[in-house]
Amino acid sequence: MIEPDLSARVEAARAALVPAADLALAYFRDLASLTVERKTGGQDVVSRADRDVETLLRAALAPAFPDDAFLGEEHGRAEGSSGWVWIIDPIDGTSNYLHGLTEWCISVGLAHDGALVAGLIAVPCRGELFVASAGAGATHNGQPIRVTATDTLRTGLTGIGASVYSVPAEIGGLVSRVLAGGGMFVRGGSGALALAHVACGHLVAYHEPFMYLWDCAAGLCLVREAGGEFRAFVSDPDRPMSGAVTAWAPQERADITAILAPETPAGS
């Protein structure tokens, strides 16, 4: 019912991500020139690259869709009247980025009347682009992707996320339960990219106790359109744009509560 408006926006985002990726890479190749600021603590950082990439994306999209709202990690919310909301994380995995590690991405989600309808994740260091839109499936560099149909928490890799908002004992419990169940965990440092890895079958599941909407909007759309399932934002009613996120391949539905997220009530 929202076509062709959705397709037009997805294509506009796809085009905007090209210069955004170029800009992020240019800064990445000259990290010594970046001034790093601390937000809430030593690991909560932001740089000029984050702000400039988000500014570029807003400047590329707003003229074409002047009535759309924007929600970005660095520049906050700009209200709109169309029912469409762009949800932007200009560099997800900023700590990786600023330490010269390549596991970071640019995440652009899109919601319509409160429902996630599209997600695009660009991985500039690898020349990768993940795209998903409601009812149209998910792709990686133009090729269809699906969550794994064979791996389990015991045979595959499980992503676990942590941040300055994490409770250390909770993260330790997650790791302990995965290992005790015969599985293996990974932490890449970018929640958005980890969700993309679930969507394309590299990870069987991903759990992070605290994410903001801009961290996960695009990734959750990718997981859903790739045949996966998720629960999000059910743990903290005082922060409606943040909370626990769990995504998984459908065959692992029964094990998710027992092993990965026993403290997270059902919902989505």
Side-chain angles (χ1 to χ4, degrees):
M1 294 178 63
I2 57 176
E3 291 284 0
D5 294 339
L6 175 57
S7 292
R9 284 169 170 81
V10 169
E11 291 310 306
R14 190 194 302 267
L17 279 167
V18 174
D22 289 343
L23 178 60
L25 272 177
Y27 279 126
F28 185 68
R29 290 166 178 155
D30 189 20
L31 290 175
S33 70
L34 285 179
T35 299
V36 178
E37 301 172 25
R38 310 289 171 180
K39 292 181 179 180
T40 62
Q43 295 293 328
D44 193 4
V45 292
V46 65
S47 73
R48 178 181 176 185
D50 298 82
R51 296 191 175 107
D52 286 358
V53 170
E54 184 173 325
T55 296
L56 185 156
L57 287 167
R58 287 180 181 237
L61 296 169
F65 310 103
D67 297 324
D68 290 3
F70 284 81
L71 175 66
E73 179 175 13
E74 306 307 334
H75 298 307
R77 187 176 181 94
E79 298 298 336
S81 59
S82 66
W84 297 88
V85 183
W86 296 94
I87 307 163
I88 299 172
D89 191 340
I91 298 178
D92 189 75
T94 297
S95 290
N96 284 353
Y97 182 93
L98 293 175
H99 287 89
L101 299 176
T102 59
E103 190 79 353
W104 56 271
C105 65
I106 304 171
S107 176
V108 178
L110 185 63
H112 182 260
D113 290 343
L116 293 176
V117 293
L120 299 92
I121 291 179
V123 192
C125 287
R126 299 201 290 262
E128 295 178 310
L129 179 64
F130 296 87
V131 180
S133 58
T139 62
H140 170 238
N141 287 352
Q143 298 302 309
I145 56 174
R146 298 287 294 179
V147 298
T148 178
T150 56
D151 279 332
T152 69
L153 289 180
R154 294 170 179 82
T155 64
L157 294 174
T158 297
I160 293 176
S163 71
V164 296
Y165 302 103
S166 301
V167 178
E170 183 178 358
I171 300 301
L174 287 167
V175 171
S176 179
R177 290 193 299 274
V178 169
L179 293 177
M184 182 51 65
F185 74 96
V186 295
R187 180 183 180 270
S190 167
L193 194 47
L195 290 169
H197 286 316
V198 174
C200 64
H202 298 159
L203 298 178
V204 68
Y206 180 72
H207 179 77
E208 185 162 346
F210 183 94
M211 298 181 82
Y212 284 108
L213 183 58
W214 47 74
D215 298 321
C216 62
L220 291 176
C221 190
L222 278 163
V223 169
R224 184 191 68 209
E225 294 302 315
E229 300 172 349
F230 66 83
R231 296 184 302 200
F233 302 155
V234 296
S235 63
D236 190 350
D238 294 327
R239 289 181 167 182
M241 290 195 307
S242 62
V245 171
T246 313
W248 63 90
Q251 67 271 16
E252 280 305 278
R253 187 183 302 120
D255 277 342
I256 290 299
T257 297
I259 296 177
L260 197 56
E263 68 286 320
T264 305
S268 61

